[in-house]
Amino acid sequence: MTGRNSSTPGQAPKEKKPTSSAKSSAKSSAKPKKKKKITIGKVLAWTFVTGALAAICGMGVYIFVLVNGDKIVENNMDKLNFSEASIIYDAAGQEAGVLKVENRENVDPAEIPDLLKQAFIATEDQRFEQHQGVDLFSVGRALVKDVVARSMVEGGSTITQQLAKNVFLSSDKTFFRKATEMSIALALEKKKTKDEIITYYLNRIYFGNRAYGVKAASKVYFGVSNLKDLKLWQIATLAAMPKAPNTYNPISNPDKSKDRRAVVLKLMQEQGYITEAQRAEAVAVDYAPPANVGKSQYQTYIDYVLKEAQDMYKFDEDDLLRGGYKIYTTLDPNAQQIMEQTYANDKLFQKDGPEQKMQSSMAILNNEDGGIVAMIGGRDYVTRGLNRAVAQPRQPGSSFKTLVAYAPAIESGKYNPYSRLPDVQKSYNGYSPRNYDGVYRGEVSMFDAVKKSMNLPAVDLLSQIGVKTGIDFVKKLGIDLDEKNDRNLAIALGGLNKGVTTLQMARAYSAFPNNGNLPTAHAITKIVGDDGKVTPFKGETKSVMSAKTAWYMTQLMQGVVEPGGTGAAAKFDRPLAGKTGSTQLDIKGLEKYNRDLWFVGYTPEWTAAVWMGFDKTDSKHYVSMSSGSAGVIFKEVMQKALAKRPMTSFKRPDGVPDLTAPPKGISDLNAEHIVMGGNSKVQLKWSGVGDNITYQIFRKDSKMADFPAEPTQSTTMTEFSEFISQPDTYDYVVVPYNAENNTTGARSNVATVKVDTLGGNPLDPLHPGTDPNGKLDPNSPGGPGTNLPGTGQPGNGGPGTGLPDQGQRPDQEGGNGTDGRPGTEQGTKPGTGQGGGTRSGGETSQPGGNNGAGTGTGRPGTDSGTGTDTRTGTNGTSPTGGTNSGTQTNGGKGHGTSGTSGGKNGTGTGNSTDAGAGGSSRGGSGAAGGTTGSGTSTGTTDGAGTDTAPTGSTTQTGR
């Protein structure tokens, strides 16, 4: 079955045709492909061609570089003269010639000492003398670093390249710019000598603090004009700056400058320019700026202009200073000059400390647009020195009260300048503020609280409106507080975590005279480039409070500068409002002194803030000047600076109601305790303070810490009475309220009433003619001066005086009256015993006994006093042995001239003279009528005797 396909029986198998791949395989197997051989000749040939092309390209690039560099240098050779400068213009658009920003003094090669050149060569370009403008070794090193970092991080520039870049090119780091820089450097090396190149470089380079060129820098930092007089450490300090002028200059950063100086000195020593001993000596020197270093007119303002141009407009500092810009500002040259002259007057400041002098800063703003009129950063301010007006936050003290407490409270609509605020010592969860003068007035108006800078009303007010409300309000004014560390009541007194700057305070206060609108504080109005391109002012004005709040705050703070206010020292002959501030020193034993003094105030035209203190406060440097010292500087500057400007007034905004004064306070409130008809009541009386006034009465007893929030009663009358049911000491105040304008007057004086005992029973039927209140009833038998006939012995009363109609209580003195007239009328009852009679002063006695032996006639008393003391006397045994007990009623507070007894439970005298008894714990008794009897009489009185009986609770026995 060979050759047959079993799948198809009876049929021969078909023959397959070869595929294309099979054909290819067949062909390839039939004819193998030959490989091309790479010979040495071919490699050499291609290498030659490639090299030739590279050489041609390189030559072309080299020719281009040379031609381009030569062309740039040729067309811009005048730039090597460095004559361009930016100029600042004042608010009137006039050029201020002294405000040229660039400070440059060119020097010739012969003026530069070799050591100075060597310092820069060692630091900036060690192969300066060997290369021809471009150091290929340095370029290769820089390329490696750039490739690794994938960016242009390493310049590899020679001194010649730096000169080319700074003079002829922008500062952008691109490969094309780098090639152009190299071409210019090569061209410069062909046209200028090495000495000329390094001289151009040292004249051009920027040293910080607006010092261009090594000579200007030498004068700014060391006060040295002749470069050959520079010492090694000074030379190294200068050579350290070009890498980062603002970082490594000794005025701004003395420590970093010294560290960088050490690097320069090490390089100089390693390259053989100086010895190790010279290096060690120069490294150890500490920098001290020379007196008056860097001082120039308007220096603070110029520095701020440059800072604002960088921060607000994003200009590069170096381009700005050398770009020929015209910078228009809001500067008032007159105000700035007056400010600088004021700060040069040492008499306005505290005596210098052992290591520091007292410092201060000030800023003035135009209320309408927020333009900075003038600014100073400190006494003896130096170029690029510490501008304390913007860069040194300090604690604002009480000048912050108006911003964080009073203004937001008025803005809430619940308070106005006449609102009454508590001025009492109180603890707020452990925080216990106190007034600086230690005086607490109970309650004051907001006017008085601000005028006298009281602490407690401000703290309590912030507590009422909420700390968050205060923080949110000052944030709108441009002051951001620490949300964590400043969220407490201490901010009401200016106790802030970071503090505020002088410019921030001036800006915040400027919203008050500007009807609640807050513009952006700024110095620059526009910047014009040398190509005519204008960059306009970038800023806005925001509404931060209502015009009503702003107006009321102005009225509040006008009182601060009036006599009696804490800011009276700032007052001058213009409408003015403001607030003082001080922060207490917290050094043991020096607490009466301060760390900071402030005054922030405004006229209708300008707002200004002044700060005074030491940069670093310690036991040797603190403020001992009067708290009004900052106000004195404010006045000195503002009064002179505004002298030539028209005077304007604060104007109430349209639609804002003016304040209506509240009712006048009451100062003659009188309270009296009256017992009448068995009841006790308190009678209040006072003088009226106007029409349509409601008087609110507030009462507190001994158990209450303060008067209640709501009045006890209200009345339109000028007197008020209420019944008292409990003995206690009661305090009363009256507050006048005018419902027509919803204003409340000051709280009255406090009137105090002490209720020891309450009223007794009504008229006693067992003893007619005598009222329990001590008043005789003329309608009862035995009325005053009309006793019934009796048989007692003639009276023997002496003359005396008493106080009528004032004895409503047993513990009160009587009024004026007469007593002790001779008795001519009969006693109340006929008696046969010894001692019957009528006592003076309205007193009536019972007869001594039934079986007595004598008769007599008593005398009537004429005292109409109202004493109510009742006592029981027991008359002794008469000569015939009779015994009689009777009740005696004492009345009248007359002061007898004889026979007076005193003290509680005193025993009267017997025999010929019986002691009289008073009706008061302080008043003496009336003169006693004579008696004849042999018994012993015992009586009880609250009176204080002044004759035969001793005072106090004593007993006297008569025989």
Side-chain angles (χ1 to χ4, degrees):
M1 297 206 42
T2 60
R4 310 266 313 233
N5 189 337
S6 59
S7 63
T8 315
Q11 187 175 8
K14 295 183 180 179
E15 193 174 287
K16 293 182 179 180
K17 294 183 179 180
T19 63
S20 59
S21 60
K23 290 179 181 180
S24 299
S25 299
K27 288 181 180 180
S28 61
S29 60
K31 295 182 180 180
K33 186 177 181 180
K34 295 182 179 180
K35 296 181 180 180
K36 294 183 179 180
K37 295 182 179 180
I38 299 175
T39 64
I40 296 175
K42 289 182 178 180
V43 171
L44 293 175
W46 278 110
T47 301
F48 176 80
V49 171
T50 302
L53 290 174
I56 293 171
C57 291
M59 184 63 69
V61 170
Y62 180 72
I63 293 173
F64 171 77
V65 167
L66 291 179
V67 171
N68 188 53
D70 284 339
K71 183 178 180 181
I72 291 174
V73 171
E74 190 68 31
N75 293 338
N76 297 279
M77 186 64 74
D78 59 327
K79 288 189 176 182
L80 289 172
N81 296 324
F82 311 129
S83 58
E84 293 186 68
S86 294
I87 300 174
I88 293 178
Y89 296 85
D90 62 26
Q94 299 299 313
E95 178 182 340
V98 297
L99 294 182
K100 291 185 178 179
V101 175
E102 193 168 287
N103 176 22
R104 184 195 305 281
E105 291 187 56
N106 294 331
V107 294
D108 296 329
E111 298 180 66
I112 305 174
D114 289 342
L115 194 60
L116 181 61
K117 297 176 184 177
Q118 292 163 358
F120 281 88
I121 291 172
T123 307
E124 298 293 326
D125 186 2
Q126 298 179 17
R127 291 168 46 81
F128 175 72
E129 296 292 347
Q130 286 76 44
H131 63 68
Q132 297 301 312
V134 177
D135 187 349
L136 296 178
F137 176 79
S138 297
V139 170
R141 180 185 61 195
L143 286 173
V144 171
K145 291 185 177 181
D146 290 346
V147 170
V148 171
R150 296 185 180 183
S151 65
M152 300 295 291
V153 298
E154 178 66 32
S157 297
T158 64
I159 284 177
T160 313
Q161 285 176 264
Q162 291 183 52
L163 178 64
K165 177 187 68 176
N166 290 336
V167 175
F168 301 104
L169 299 173
S170 70
S171 59
D172 296 334
K173 286 187 176 182
T174 64
F175 285 102
F176 180 76
R177 186 207 59 77
K178 193 70 176 178
T180 306
E181 173 191 301
M182 294 169 65
S183 70
I184 295 173
L186 292 172
L188 283 173
E189 290 277 351
K190 289 194 305 179
K191 295 179 180 296
K192 301 294 180 180
T193 66
K194 290 287 186 181
D195 208 29
E196 289 176 324
I197 288 173
I198 196 169
T199 300
Y200 279 125
Y201 173 78
L202 292 176
N203 279 333
R204 170 62 184 85
I205 199 166
Y206 180 55
F207 287 87
N209 286 304
R210 269 186 316 285
Y212 279 84
V214 69
K215 185 171 184 179
S218 178
K219 294 173 69 174
V220 166
Y221 294 112
F222 311 115
V224 176
S225 298
N226 188 343
L227 298 181
K228 294 183 178 181
D229 293 336
L230 288 171
K231 298 177 181 179
L232 175 58
W233 73 270
Q234 295 170 327
I235 287 173
T237 300
L238 292 171
M241 289 187 226
K243 182 179 180 68
N246 292 329
T247 301
Y248 294 127
N249 80 75
I251 290 178
S252 300
N253 297 291
D255 293 337
K256 291 182 179 180
S257 173
K258 187 176 182 180
D259 292 342
R260 177 67 177 166
R261 183 214 307 169
V263 174
V264 173
L265 290 168
K266 184 64 175 177
L267 291 171
M268 294 180 71
Q269 184 265 325
E270 291 176 346
Q271 296 174 48
Y273 293 121
I274 60 174
T275 67
E276 171 59 25
Q278 289 176 308
R279 183 202 68 80
E281 181 183 2
V283 164
V285 179
D286 289 326
Y287 174 76
N292 300 325
V293 64
K295 287 183 65 177
S296 66
Q297 197 176 32
Y298 310 157
Q299 200 62 61
T300 301
Y301 202 95
I302 294 172
D303 284 347
Y304 184 81
V305 167
L306 295 180
K307 181 180 184 299
E308 187 176 288
Q310 295 173 77
D311 295 345
M312 188 179 294
Y313 300 91
K314 307 305 178 184
F315 276 84
D316 180 78
E317 179 184 12
D318 188 61
D319 287 345
L320 188 65
L321 295 178
R322 66 185 176 88
Y325 292 97
K326 294 179 175 63
I327 306 172
Y328 293 87
T329 73
T330 57
L331 171 69
D332 184 304
N334 180 57
Q336 185 69 34
Q337 289 174 7
I338 290 170
M339 187 181 289
E340 293 179 4
Q341 291 167 3
T342 300
Y343 272 67
N345 184 358
D346 293 340
K347 294 181 180 179
L348 296 174
F349 298 89
Q350 191 174 308
K351 184 179 179 181
D352 293 350
E355 299 170 7
Q356 305 174 57
K357 70 188 311 178
M358 187 182 209
Q359 283 297 345
S360 179
S361 59
M362 184 174 185
I364 303 176
L365 298 182
N366 185 305
N367 294 334
E368 185 176 356
D369 59 12
I372 300 175
V373 174
M375 177 188 289
I376 195 162
R379 301 170 67 195
D380 296 330
Y381 179 84
V382 298
T383 304
R384 288 299 176 89
L386 176 62
N387 186 350
R388 297 166 183 83
V390 297
Q392 182 171 272
R394 301 291 295 223
Q395 301 298 315
S398 293
S399 62
F400 206 62
K401 294 174 182 175
T402 50
L403 305 180
V404 77
Y406 292 113
I410 292 177
E411 182 77 355
S412 72
K414 299 178 181 179
Y415 297 87
N416 65 61
Y418 288 113
S419 295
R420 309 295 300 178
L421 306 175
D423 181 31
V424 295
Q425 287 185 288
K426 184 178 178 181
S427 180
Y428 302 85
N429 295 323
Y431 175 56
S432 302
R434 61 185 181 84
N435 286 339
Y436 71 94
D437 57 3
V439 177
Y440 305 96
R441 301 158 182 87
E443 184 183 78
V444 295
S445 69
M446 189 182 292
F447 266 116
D448 286 338
V450 173
K451 181 175 183 176
K452 297 184 181 299
S453 197
M454 301 174 195
N455 291 338
L456 299 184
V459 173
D460 194 81
L461 187 60
L462 181 60
S463 176
Q464 294 300 319
I465 66 173
V467 172
K468 184 179 185 303
T469 299
I471 290 176
D472 291 344
F473 192 86
V474 296
K475 185 175 183 179
K476 293 192 297 181
L477 296 174
I479 299 174
D480 288 323
L481 300 185
D482 189 316
E483 286 290 335
K484 179 180 179 181
N485 296 316
D486 285 331
R487 190 172 287 276
N488 55 71
L489 291 175
I491 64 175
L493 307 182
L496 309 183
N497 184 48
K498 295 181 180 178
V500 290
T501 67
T502 312
L503 183 60
Q504 281 181 309
M505 290 298 286
R507 185 192 180 211
Y509 269 68
S510 70
F512 297 131
N514 200 26
N515 293 336
N517 297 311
L518 185 71
T520 300
H522 64 284
I524 298 172
T525 57
K526 64 180 178 179
I527 301 175
V528 181
D530 59 358
D531 58 356
K533 181 181 178 180
V534 177
T535 302
F537 163 63
K538 298 178 180 179
E540 60 178 349
T541 297
K542 300 182 296 182
S543 176
V544 295
M545 72 185 83
S546 67
K548 178 180 178 180
T549 296
W551 173 243
Y552 286 178
M553 288 300 299
T554 293
Q555 292 186 296
L556 262 179
M557 288 188 282
Q558 281 183 292
V560 174
V561 297
E562 296 299 330
T566 57
K571 178 66 175 176
F572 60 99
D573 191 22
R574 271 181 182 261
L576 177 64
K579 185 70 185 71
T580 56
S582 62
T583 59
Q584 187 179 18
L585 192 63
D586 54 359
I587 299 176
K588 187 175 181 180
L590 300 173
E591 292 87 353
K592 68 178 181 178
Y593 300 110
N594 294 305
R595 285 179 172 269
D596 309 274
L597 297 180
W598 288 84
F599 185 81
V600 190
Y602 52 91
T603 67
E605 302 83 19
W606 292 349
T607 297
V610 177
W611 166 82
M612 299 178 74
F614 286 86
D615 290 338
K616 296 180 179 179
T617 306
D618 54 35
S619 60
K620 297 179 181 179
H621 305 90
Y622 54 84
V623 179
S624 59
M625 297 184 74
S626 163
S627 60
S629 300
V632 172
I633 292 178
F634 174 93
K635 174 183 177 179
E636 184 73 12
V637 175
M638 294 285 279
Q639 184 177 29
K640 294 178 179 178
L642 288 167
K644 297 181 180 179
R645 289 178 172 266
M647 185 183 299
T648 59
S649 301
F650 293 119
K651 295 182 179 179
R652 179 164 51 88
D654 293 339
V656 174
D658 209 348
L659 282 171
T660 302
K664 183 180 178 182
I666 296 167
S667 60
D668 63 348
L669 175 64
N670 178 60
E672 186 177 16
H673 176 217
I674 299 175
V675 178
M676 182 175 293
N679 296 312
S680 290
K681 68 177 182 178
V682 172
Q683 178 77 39
L684 302 179
K685 293 183 179 181
W686 61 89
S687 298
V689 293
D691 298 330
N692 302 316
I693 300 297
T694 298
Y695 300 97
Q696 299 174 331
I697 294 95
F698 296 80
R699 180 197 64 207
K700 77 180 185 72
D701 56 36
S702 61
K703 299 180 183 63
M704 301 170 64
D706 198 1
F707 289 97
E710 297 298 326
T712 304
Q713 293 288 341
S714 296
T715 179
T716 57
M717 307 297 289
T718 58
E719 61 181 47
F720 170 80
S721 63
E722 64 174 354
F723 288 99
I724 300 298
S725 60
Q726 185 69 32
D728 204 340
T729 298
Y730 298 93
D731 291 333
Y732 292 85
V733 294
V734 176
V735 176
Y737 171 71
N738 188 336
E740 292 184 352
N741 52 34
N742 193 30
T743 58
T744 302
R747 179 185 290 180
S748 72
N749 60 296
V750 178
T752 302
V753 172
K754 185 176 182 182
V755 179
D756 287 331
T757 59
L758 300 178
N761 296 322
L763 296 176
D764 189 346
L766 297 178
H767 302 90
T770 305
D771 189 294
N773 294 331
K775 293 183 177 180
L776 299 179
D777 186 352
N779 299 317
S780 299
T786 58
N787 293 323
L788 297 175
T791 59
Q793 298 295 326
N796 189 23
T801 59
L803 305 178
D805 299 327
Q806 295 294 328
Q808 291 93 344
R809 288 171 29 174
D811 60 351
Q812 289 186 328
E813 292 283 0
N816 294 319
T818 61
D819 194 8
R821 294 185 298 182
T824 58
E825 300 191 17
Q826 303 300 313
T828 57
K829 288 184 180 181
T832 59
Q834 306 276 341
T838 302
R839 298 179 183 271
S840 63
E843 297 180 352
T844 304
S845 66
Q846 296 293 338
N850 293 328
N851 300 315
T855 61
T857 301
R859 62 178 180 84
T862 60
D863 189 351
S864 57
T866 57
T868 60
D869 186 16
T870 301
R871 58 189 181 141
T872 301
T874 301
N875 292 330
T877 303
S878 68
T880 60
T883 301
N884 180 46
S885 297
T887 299
Q888 303 183 80
T889 301
N890 301 326
K893 297 188 172 156
H895 184 75
T897 59
S898 66
T900 59
S901 68
K904 295 212 182 258
N905 301 321
T907 302
T909 59
N911 297 325
S912 62
T913 304
D914 188 12
S920 168
S921 62
R922 290 184 288 274
S925 69
T931 65
T932 58
S934 60
T936 299
S937 176
T938 302
T940 301
T941 179
D942 290 336
T946 60
D947 194 352
T948 61
T951 60
S953 298
T954 63
T955 300
Q956 171 138 345
T957 303
R959 295 292 180 185

